[in-house]
Amino acid sequence: MVALALAGAGVVAFAAVTPLPKPDVPQATVIYDSQGRVVASLYRQNRQLARPEEIPESLRQAVVAAEDARFYRHHGFDPVAIGRAALHNLEAGRIVEGGSSITQQLARTLYDLSLERTFGRKFREALLTVKLETRYSKDEILTMYLNQVYFGRGAYGAKVAAREYFGKPLDQLTLAESATLAAFIRGPEIYWRQPERAKGRRDWVLSRMAELGMITPEQARRAQAQPLVLRPPDEPDTRAPYFVDYVRDRLGAEVPELAGQLYTGGFRIYTTLDLDMQQAAEAAVARLDELVAPLGAYRGVPQPQVALVALDPATGAIRAMVGGRDFATTPLNRAVQARRQPGSAFKPFLYTAVLAAAEPITSPVACRLRQYPGGERGEPYTPRDYGRDGYHNAFLDIRQAVAISDNVVAVEWMNRMKPSRVAALARRMGITSPLTTQHLTLALGESEVTPLELARGYATLANLGQRVDPFAILRVEDRDGTVLFRQAPRLERVLAPEVAWLVTDVLKSVFDPAYGGTGRALAIGRPAAGKTGTTDASRDVWFVGYTPDLVAAVWVGSDDFQPVLLPGGAGATGSSTAGRIWQAFMRAALDGRPARDWARPDGVVRASACTLTGSLDDPRFQWREEWFLAGHVPPPNCLALLQDPYVREDLAAAGRAPRGLLPVPLPSLPGLPGLPGLMPPETAPGPDGGANPEGGAAPGDLEPGEGQSRDQDGRAVPGGGAGPGDGGAGGGGDPGGGRDDAAEAAPDAGDASPIPPP
């Protein structure tokens, strides 16, 4: 007894002169969506510190009753409990009961003391127990204990345990639920697995509370009568795993000093994610197996794969992100890390350059055999359209060419605009991947990009010319609520709003059956614009579309560049696969939100203009209404078209004179070959008087193998370039419509038939 007294006095004396170490309590970092809903917790120990006012009195009483009934009457050590435990252990011949107080348990876990039964460990535990008792009040010690103790299933602290077991905030626990958590402390990985034992332990805690006068016997009986219902342990801890992984990456880039503490620092990260839209995205991509045929596995990963990313075009806030079929199987985030050829989904950048150059939408270009220098092996490059014939042999204006995704017309426009000019504009609009500035096949999506880049580029159009920077993190707070990092939208005007509005209006025609649009079966019941994309042999299929409120890019393809097939074995298209996913997502994501259209800028006017239509065998003048940039309405005279050197070249190649309404009599124009100003095809001048239009890639620029797709090892995939492109309804670019539900399917526009006027 004397020895024990001296030892106790020594501990107290030593404690009096020894400062209390500051505990480093690891806490889980919690990620929230834009509406404050929990998306994920990142932790090594899943812990969130509860404030004293969050802890219900019933839980405090239950823990004291179960773990240390004399907690408020001793000073860190309970001689009664120690003596009782020693007697029970002696009777049993083994350790069956501990005598540690709540303060001793806190000292042990707070400072990570080992459980070895050594004098050194016991002395440190006793020292820290005394320091805690002298430094903090009993209520403060109990709060610290409830934030520190392990409750099982990875839950450290009562705040996490309340959500883990009951799916509710800590301050909403019932008496029975408080007793359940107190019961779990004695066997945290035992009781939740054995509900009957857990209920028995819970009921004992309630009886003990009544015995100690904390509750009435009637309250104990009512609580004991309640069934024990726990939240299933197999519910996922992380929602939107690809997005969470992206947030981790961005945090490391934006705030690297916090990245090392991410799993222990207890940060609160508020993000741009919308969990409702994320759920819609995950449900939409889950349709992939209905839309495509399986392609086996590549490096153990099922193929084909899918990616979807959605942005708020007004701010750049990322609202939804899916980077693959299943994060556990394939954590590669294809939405931001996989560069693939976009096919005709790149054409909006080309036509933005065209309209920005004040070319009218009614400008006609003939879809006919054309040859340009710079093909493989020194041969001329000859673009073709999808389909048996490869050419419409008809005049297409810009709206018609975009709607059916015509490749031949797109390459001709690229020849006129020049790849370097289009690439520079695409970079201003948000494309950051390297783009070719030498090849006309840039028009057909030769250069690889990511879905996030395409979504950003299209968002510039949806935002009427203002480019946004995609971002995922709104702010980061520390465990005390101090804001450590904040991010606001970054916008920059890169296009005139009139140009962006015109391009958007043209892209609306992709959904219009009157134009045979490739997305004519993909309407979502509100104003929308978009574009399909399908690369050679269906190795990559895309749909990128937008409304004023949301832009989404969807990619479907195989990691090893296998062709994507429909369930029946035919090649997949942007409209039949990616478009279907886009449609399902947009309908669900925007459900309940009012439909909006884009406000027309003052610099856009409606006027009637003359254009050429019909086949090259029977070209016709036609008047129709269209939107134009103010000050750039074509002259009210069809003869003005005949002054365009490109039109003259197309007519000369066709050997036909246009017919139709003319504003003045033309007695001197009896028709070809006597039409003044027109020459035989072999001598027809280019725009600058040369034999061919200037601007094709120089001979030898396209070396053999360039423009090919490559697998993940860098090997060229035969035929994997931008290819014949998307192929379209009526023999244009994108294969149109796909295999749609009967209620939505639109008939094909026909094979190589003239495009009907709007």
Side-chain angles (χ1 to χ4, degrees):
M1 293 294 294
V2 172
L4 286 175
L6 290 174
V11 168
V12 172
F14 191 77
V17 298
T18 304
L20 181 66
K22 182 179 179 180
D24 184 14
V25 182
Q27 290 188 51
T29 291
V30 183
I31 298 177
Y32 301 91
D33 83 337
S34 58
Q35 299 179 43
R37 294 171 291 189
V38 175
V39 177
S41 295
L42 308 179
Y43 55 85
R44 293 192 178 94
Q45 292 184 1
N46 188 10
R47 176 186 287 108
Q48 299 170 38
L49 298 187
R51 299 186 302 275
E53 62 270 20
E54 292 182 273
I55 302 174
E57 184 64 21
S58 61
L59 180 60
R60 291 179 177 274
Q61 292 174 335
V63 170
V64 169
E67 294 297 313
D68 188 358
R70 290 168 44 83
F71 173 69
Y72 286 98
R73 287 182 284 171
H74 62 66
H75 300 287
F77 305 94
D78 185 1
V80 175
I82 293 173
R84 183 178 59 247
L87 180 60
H88 291 171
N89 293 336
L90 184 61
E91 291 174 347
R94 57 189 177 87
I95 296 177
V96 295
E97 183 178 334
S100 296
S101 68
I102 285 177
T103 312
Q104 287 176 278
Q105 294 180 52
L106 175 62
R108 189 181 307 139
T109 58
L110 192 61
Y111 295 100
D112 196 24
L113 300 179
S114 70
L115 295 180
E116 295 178 1
R117 292 180 175 84
T118 64
F119 177 78
R121 197 273 296 174
K122 286 291 186 180
F123 181 80
R124 289 194 300 274
E125 179 184 308
L127 173 64
L128 292 170
T129 298
V130 172
K131 293 296 295 183
L132 288 170
E133 286 280 343
T134 56
R135 174 75 178 271
Y136 299 103
S137 70
K138 286 290 188 177
D139 285 341
E140 289 174 328
I141 291 173
L142 184 56
T143 297
M144 295 167 67
Y145 176 76
L146 287 171
N147 279 324
Q148 186 70 22
V149 69
Y150 181 57
F151 287 91
R153 272 175 35 179
Y156 287 83
K159 189 171 185 176
V160 173
R163 290 197 176 275
E164 174 64 28
Y165 288 110
F166 304 112
K168 62 170 59 175
L170 179 60
D171 58 5
Q172 295 180 17
L173 290 181
T174 66
L175 173 60
E177 290 166 344
S178 293
T180 301
L181 290 188
F184 281 3
I185 295 175
R186 185 60 57 91
E189 291 297 346
I190 297 175
Y191 286 116
W192 71 265
R193 300 176 190 272
Q194 302 178 38
E196 288 303 318
R197 289 188 63 184
K199 187 178 184 305
R201 175 72 178 174
R202 180 202 70 176
D203 292 348
W204 175 85
V205 173
L206 290 166
S207 296
R208 182 70 171 147
M209 293 174 71
E211 179 184 334
L212 295 171
M214 297 173 174
I215 59 175
T216 67
E218 179 59 27
Q219 287 177 310
R221 283 192 294 271
R222 285 200 303 267
Q224 289 168 340
Q226 296 178 17
L228 179 65
V229 180
L230 302 179
R231 171 181 171 270
D234 56 350
E235 291 188 18
D237 292 325
T238 299
R239 306 164 78 176
Y242 288 102
F243 178 80
V244 170
D245 196 52
Y246 180 73
V247 167
R248 279 195 293 255
D249 290 343
R250 295 315 306 160
L251 190 67
E254 301 280 356
V255 201
E257 61 272 19
L258 300 183
Q261 308 172 51
L262 189 58
Y263 286 82
T264 59
F267 304 119
R268 293 193 289 270
I269 303 176
Y270 295 89
T271 72
T272 61
L273 189 75
D274 184 312
L275 275 176
D276 295 328
M277 290 190 182
Q278 179 66 27
Q279 184 177 0
E282 291 172 358
V285 301
R287 297 188 59 196
L288 184 63
D289 287 332
E290 305 170 16
L291 301 171
V292 299
L295 294 176
Y298 175 68
R299 295 179 175 174
V301 177
Q303 304 295 327
Q305 282 292 325
V306 63
L308 183 154
V309 62
L311 308 176
D312 178 346
T315 63
I318 298 173
R319 298 304 189 198
M321 179 180 287
V322 179
R325 284 175 175 262
D326 175 53
F327 185 81
T329 304
T330 171
L332 172 66
N333 190 344
R334 295 160 185 82
V336 297
Q337 294 173 319
R339 290 176 175 168
R340 301 294 290 250
Q341 290 183 336
S344 290
F346 189 83
K347 288 176 182 174
F349 301 104
L350 163 65
Y351 286 107
T352 299
V354 173
L355 296 180
E359 286 284 351
I361 294 174
T362 53
S363 295
V365 173
C367 176
R368 62 178 176 85
L369 176 67
R370 298 175 185 272
Q371 293 185 334
Y372 305 91
E376 294 184 6
R377 296 178 293 278
E379 299 174 355
Y381 168 53
T382 306
R384 292 174 56 88
D385 278 330
Y386 178 86
R388 182 175 62 250
D389 297 325
Y391 303 97
H392 288 89
N393 292 306
F395 283 99
L396 304 177
D397 66 21
I398 289 174
R399 189 178 295 277
Q400 293 167 333
V402 170
I404 67 169
S405 197
D406 189 272
N407 289 340
V408 176
V409 172
V411 172
E412 173 58 18
W413 278 116
M414 181 65 77
N415 182 49
R416 300 180 190 183
M417 291 295 108
K418 307 298 184 287
S420 59
R421 181 178 183 179
V422 174
L425 178 62
R427 283 192 284 268
R428 285 208 309 274
M429 292 175 66
I431 301 300
T432 56
S433 293
L435 298 173
T436 179
T437 58
Q438 300 295 321
H439 308 157
L440 297 181
T441 47
L442 177 64
L444 308 182
E446 175 190 35
S447 297
E448 296 173 338
V449 296
T450 68
L452 182 60
E453 288 177 80
L454 277 188
R456 183 191 188 197
Y458 279 58
T460 301
L461 299 173
N463 206 23
L464 293 184
Q466 292 196 93
R467 186 189 66 213
V468 295
D469 288 350
F471 70 105
I473 302 172
L474 292 170
R475 69 183 186 278
V476 179
E477 298 177 357
D478 67 11
R479 62 183 67 181
D480 298 320
T482 302
V483 176
L484 305 175
F485 171 78
R486 190 188 300 276
Q487 189 162 8
R490 291 194 289 264
L491 292 81
E492 181 180 354
R493 169 70 61 187
V494 296
L495 281 178
E498 294 83 1
V499 172
W501 190 93
L502 281 178
V503 177
T504 294
D505 194 67
V506 167
L507 291 174
K508 288 181 178 179
S509 302
V510 170
F511 296 98
D512 194 340
Y515 288 94
T518 56
R520 61 190 181 275
L522 302 177
I524 59 173
R526 63 180 66 221
K531 187 69 191 72
T532 50
T534 310
T535 62
D536 186 47
S538 299
R539 288 186 172 90
D540 299 281
V541 289
W542 297 78
F543 195 90
V544 189
Y546 57 93
T547 70
D549 302 301
L550 193 64
V551 55
V554 179
W555 166 84
V556 176
S558 179
D559 292 333
D560 57 347
F561 294 90
Q562 295 183 67
V564 180
L565 304 177
L566 298 175
T573 66
S575 55
S576 63
T577 52
R580 284 304 191 190
I581 293 172
W582 178 88
Q583 181 187 50
F585 166 70
M586 293 293 281
R587 282 178 172 173
L590 297 174
D591 184 42
R593 304 187 182 210
R596 294 198 302 138
D597 205 345
W598 289 269
R600 178 170 55 86
D602 293 337
V604 175
V605 297
R606 188 78 168 172
S608 186
C610 186
T611 186
L612 276 169
T613 187
S615 69
L616 294 180
D617 290 336
D618 188 19
R620 296 173 179 268
F621 287 114
Q622 181 191 43
W623 286 87
R624 72 177 179 85
E625 285 195 338
E626 187 54 88
W627 296 106
F628 301 96
L629 293 176
H632 295 279
V633 178
N637 190 323
C638 291
L639 289 179
L641 283 175
L642 299 181
Q643 305 307 312
D644 186 323
Y646 294 108
V647 172
R648 292 168 59 177
E649 182 188 6
D650 284 340
L651 288 171
R656 292 288 188 273
R659 296 190 297 115
L661 296 174
L662 296 179
V664 294
L666 297 174
S668 61
L669 300 181
L672 259 75
L675 191 63
L678 294 182
M679 296 186 294
E682 63 271 12
T683 58
D688 53 3
N692 290 293
E694 185 181 270
D701 284 350
L702 280 171
E703 296 296 334
E706 287 193 9
Q708 293 179 325
S709 297
R710 296 183 179 275
D711 63 20
Q712 294 184 339
D713 294 322
R715 297 186 297 268
V717 177
D726 291 276
D734 278 306
R739 299 190 174 180
D740 307 320
D741 297 336
E744 296 178 316
D748 285 339
D751 245 347
S753 59
I755 304 301

